Amino acid sequence: MKSIYLLIMAFFLLSTTSYAKYVTPGTGETISLDYLVTNSAGAVTLSAGEYLVNDTIVISLNDVLAITTNATVKFAAKTYFHILGALVIDAPDNVLFTAQDISTGYLGVHLDGSAPSTIKNLTFEYGTAFKISDCSPIIDSCLFQYNNNNSSTSFGSSSIVLFRSNAIITNSKFLNNQRGAISGGANVSNAPQIIGNYFEGNNTKNSNVPQLNFGATGPDTARIINNKIMRSSTKSGGIGYLPIGDAHIIITGNLIINNRYGINLQGGSTINAMVSYNRIDSNNTDNNPNTGGSGIAFSGGTADSHQNSIVTGNIFTANLWGITIQNGSMPNLGNLNNADTSDDGKNHFINNTNSSVPGIDVYNNSPYPISAQNNNWNTNDLIEIENKIYHFTDNMTLGLVDYSNAVVPVELLNFNATITNRNQVFLQWQTASESNTSHFVIERSSNGQSFQAIDQQWAAGNSSSILNYEYTDQHVSGILFYRLKMVDSDGKYKYSPVVKVSVVNAASMSITKVFPTVITGNQKVNFILESDKIRKVNIQVLSADGRVLQNTQQLLKVGSNGNFIQIQDGIGKGVIYLRFSADEFQETIPLVKQ
């Protein structure tokens, strides 16, 4: 009976084995995982090649936990690494921190000291958070996924939690975490450098939090640069700032797509932000214009304490709203009236719309004026631009948005061609507005396909008034086609519609079509000639040096004449010419013989 009792007690003791928290000596030791297996009295064990963390490990000040070989580390529920010294992870391939039981998870890692830490090639999953306090580690080429599954929010409420940290986080991925990817408190100064990372599918619990969520930065500057902040849950935004205290922020070169909103900056003069050259696209996952959908949402502040935010060079496309402005935030969306060129607008707005107020690129829901000069509104029509902006002209209680110097090509009102006498064509055109327009090239064609420049005229350059231009083409005949090449100061151009005239005189004849212009062997070359009377036309095939290779005549009737000439097979390869001559008319068409 006694032996049975002892056996039962032994089994009970075995099944309830517990491990005490282990604290390293603090004597400048470099601690490895194998060191912990040997010295932690079971707090860390090794089983089938995997390290099992069974109780919390404290790496004391002056000590370093170094993991420089590939390893799998599995944590029991409510355990974590508390690093008061330094953490160095730099394995050749990967170190995996995961849970012994993914249904319960574990707390994670708490970096809690001033010693420099470097974490590379770490996969951190199924924990509550990677918490960083009062230090600024380098985190590079890591993967953070499926975290925040522990109910503890005191340890952290995003995959990486910052507390008085200027961490450098680069080239890492944040995927499918239950709350945000990286966060810091509203009244706690954090100025991280978040560069070249990939964020997607975070906030799977669908809480009202952005993937990147921060507050104050103190005197330092936070930088969010060249990241991809991709689709998250329907309630999750891309980047959010709500500082209590000063915030200095650079957000540039990012792709921000398929979030509830792109960027949200809430606050007054404490916010100093440069938002530049981002693509902010399709942030409409909640599809409710009353609760989100802005490419950038500005709020807070007063007329005396507004934000110092500049928005320049961004592309806003397919959001519910392009930019929304509330309270006294007063962002600078483009200002050409100062010497500073960093705030010269240059934003491009494309197809931002919602069901409540369709097609709005800028919604100024504040009583204060907004400068939005030198932006591209994806239209040439100033009335259409006005319709894309909701402001004073829609509701007199709102501030006026100044979108002067809108970047639009020249707005052409009309282009006409008339015959003034038997051999002159008078061209007239009007522009309703010009922005950085350089000049007009007048082009002419006898067949409506191949145009040649015959002259050019300088444009006014910048104007919102109706301007008139004219040009006379002298000593011409036949059926002619004209167009304008409208050239901007940066070399970009577009064409006007083509106009057609028929100049009738004694030698009125024109070529409307020659095909093909690249021939092989003794292929036929077809042509269509227009003539105002019956006449003979002489058709010659010329070599590149002007020698006559073939010569024939055809009789033209009044109107359109379709015919062909068969090129002789003995004519060599290269460029040859087809010349038509009749009365005063002569025109030469180049051909290529292969």
Side-chain angles (χ1 to χ4, degrees):
M1 188 71 180
K2 182 178 179 181
S3 61
I4 296 174
Y5 173 78
L6 292 174
L7 182 62
I8 292 172
M9 288 300 296
F11 177 79
F12 175 78
L13 291 171
L14 180 64
S15 64
T16 59
T17 299
S18 62
Y19 304 97
K21 178 170 69 174
Y22 175 71
V23 181
T24 65
T27 54
E29 297 286 338
T30 297
I31 308 296
S32 67
L33 293 172
D34 290 330
Y35 177 102
L36 293 174
V37 170
T38 301
N39 295 282
S40 68
V44 177
T45 57
L46 182 64
S47 175
E50 297 178 340
Y51 296 92
L52 305 180
V53 178
N54 304 304
D55 208 331
T56 294
I57 303 297
V58 178
I59 305 299
S60 298
L61 189 64
N62 300 321
D63 290 342
V64 178
L65 174 59
I67 306 174
T68 56
T69 58
N70 298 334
T72 296
V73 183
K74 293 186 173 181
F75 292 77
K78 299 182 179 180
T79 65
Y80 66 102
F81 281 162
H82 191 176
I83 312 293
L84 298 172
L87 174 63
V88 175
I89 298 177
D90 191 8
D93 300 310
N94 187 252
V95 172
L96 172 63
F97 283 7
T98 189
Q100 294 183 20
D101 181 350
I102 63 174
S103 64
T104 59
Y106 62 106
L107 289 178
V109 172
H110 186 186
L111 291 184
D112 187 14
S114 58
S117 294
T118 301
I119 298 97
K120 294 184 178 181
N121 299 327
L122 170 68
T123 296
F124 182 84
E125 63 180 22
Y126 297 108
T128 297
F130 198 103
K131 187 175 181 179
I132 303 172
S133 302
D134 295 301
C135 59
S136 299
I138 296 172
I139 298 176
D140 181 68
S141 302
C142 295
L143 171 61
F144 295 83
Q145 62 183 359
Y146 310 121
N147 295 297
N148 322 121
N149 64 343
N150 189 292
S151 60
S152 171
T153 56
S154 60
F155 197 86
S157 57
S158 64
S159 192
I160 291 181
V161 178
L162 304 179
F163 184 86
R164 294 195 296 261
S165 173
N166 296 350
I168 300 172
I169 304 170
T170 57
N171 307 313
S172 296
K173 293 182 178 181
F174 296 78
L175 307 176
N176 304 309
N177 296 287
Q178 292 190 6
R179 287 178 62 85
I182 308 174
S183 69
N187 62 343
V188 179
S189 294
N190 296 290
Q193 314 296 298
I194 301 172
I195 303 170
N197 303 284
Y198 185 91
F199 303 85
E200 185 172 12
N202 297 295
N203 192 24
T204 57
K205 284 188 175 180
N206 210 19
S207 304
N208 183 19
V209 295
Q211 296 199 65
L212 301 177
N213 189 17
F214 303 108
T217 67
D220 296 309
T221 299
R223 291 174 172 84
I224 302 174
I225 300 174
N226 295 342
N227 302 282
K228 293 182 178 180
I229 305 171
M230 312 299 284
R231 184 177 181 86
S232 56
S233 67
T234 58
K235 298 295 183 184
S236 184
I239 301 172
Y241 268 89
L242 176 56
I244 301 175
D246 289 339
H248 303 270
I249 313 157
I250 294 175
I251 301 173
T252 190
N254 302 284
L255 174 62
I256 306 172
I257 183 169
N258 279 141
N259 302 280
R260 181 164 71 92
Y261 54 82
I263 301 171
N264 186 9
L265 298 178
Q266 292 183 260
S269 61
T270 57
I271 292 183
N272 305 273
M274 170 63 78
V275 184
S276 60
Y277 301 98
N278 304 282
R279 184 178 181 91
I280 304 174
D281 190 335
S282 302
N283 293 286
N284 53 22
T285 55
D286 195 32
N287 201 30
N288 184 345
N290 296 317
T291 60
S294 301
I296 305 180
F298 293 96
S299 62
T302 66
D304 297 324
S305 181
H306 57 81
Q307 290 187 24
N308 301 300
S309 293
I310 296 173
V311 180
T312 185
N314 303 280
I315 298 175
F316 299 86
T317 182
N319 306 285
L320 297 185
W321 314 87
I323 295 174
T324 55
I325 302 165
Q326 299 187 71
N327 311 116
S329 49
M330 295 179 66
N332 177 352
L333 310 184
N335 183 4
L336 297 178
N337 299 322
N338 57 29
D340 186 3
T341 59
S342 68
D343 63 349
D344 280 1
K346 298 183 289 187
N347 301 289
H348 195 165
F349 297 90
I350 308 169
N351 298 330
N352 301 288
T353 191
N354 65 77
S355 57
S356 297
V357 187
I360 298 299
D361 289 326
V362 173
Y363 191 103
N364 183 19
N365 193 25
S366 82
Y368 305 109
I370 299 296
S371 182
Q373 297 176 342
N374 199 42
N375 294 300
N376 190 322
W377 306 91
N378 204 40
T379 178
N380 300 336
D381 191 329
L382 292 176
I383 295 176
E384 290 184 14
I385 295 175
E386 170 62 37
N387 290 335
K388 289 170 172 281
I389 300 170
Y390 196 91
H391 60 145
F392 176 81
T393 60
D394 304 284
N395 182 338
M396 294 181 65
T397 66
L398 302 178
L400 186 71
V401 175
D402 176 7
Y403 57 89
S404 59
N405 301 96
V407 179
V408 296
V410 58
E411 183 181 0
L412 186 69
L413 284 179
N414 55 66
F415 176 46
N416 300 307
T418 57
I419 301 170
T420 59
N421 56 37
R422 292 178 62 85
N423 62 349
Q424 289 186 346
V425 177
F426 183 59
L427 302 175
Q428 293 177 298
W429 63 98
Q430 285 184 316
T431 62
S433 65
E434 295 177 21
S435 176
N436 299 318
T437 309
S438 173
H439 61 277
F440 303 92
V441 179
I442 300 101
E443 297 185 351
R444 182 180 65 203
S445 170
S446 61
N447 57 18
Q449 297 178 359
S450 301
F451 284 83
Q452 292 183 328
I454 59 174
D455 208 339
Q456 81 171 37
Q457 286 196 16
W458 294 108
N462 293 285
S463 173
S464 58
S465 303
I466 293 177
L467 299 175
N468 295 287
Y469 297 88
E470 61 186 49
Y471 174 79
T472 300
D473 194 15
Q474 302 187 40
H475 308 300
V476 292
S477 62
I479 299 174
L480 299 172
F481 303 84
Y482 294 89
R483 71 184 183 187
L484 297 174
K485 183 178 181 180
M486 299 174 285
V487 184
D488 291 338
S489 57
D490 61 1
K492 295 180 181 178
Y493 63 89
K494 74 171 186 175
Y495 289 107
S496 72
V498 174
V499 295
K500 177 182 176 182
V501 295
S502 180
V503 182
V504 178
N505 58 30
S508 182
M509 175 182 159
S510 65
I511 304 170
T512 59
K513 199 167 190 180
V514 175
F515 63 97
T517 56
V518 179
I519 57 176
T520 57
N522 60 348
Q523 188 174 353
K524 294 178 181 179
V525 176
N526 302 282
F527 51 81
I528 299 174
L529 304 179
E530 301 282 344
S531 180
D532 67 324
K533 67 178 184 178
I534 297 173
R535 59 159 53 90
K536 288 183 180 179
V537 60
N538 191 49
I539 306 171
Q540 295 176 313
V541 179
L542 307 176
S543 65
D545 58 3
R547 291 180 295 111
V548 178
L549 305 176
Q550 284 181 236
N551 193 6
T552 186
Q553 283 189 339
Q554 293 184 10
L555 184 65
L556 302 181
K557 61 181 178 60
V558 176
S560 182
N561 296 262
N563 215 323
F564 67 89
I565 182 172
Q566 189 149 11
I567 306 299
Q568 295 174 1
D569 195 27
I571 293 176
K573 297 179 180 180
V575 178
I576 59 176
Y577 296 91
L578 195 62
R579 175 180 290 171
F580 299 86
S581 302
D583 301 325
E584 297 176 5
F585 175 85
Q586 180 173 289
E587 187 162 345
T588 303
I589 306 296
L591 306 174
V592 176
K593 190 168 186 293
Q594 295 182 333

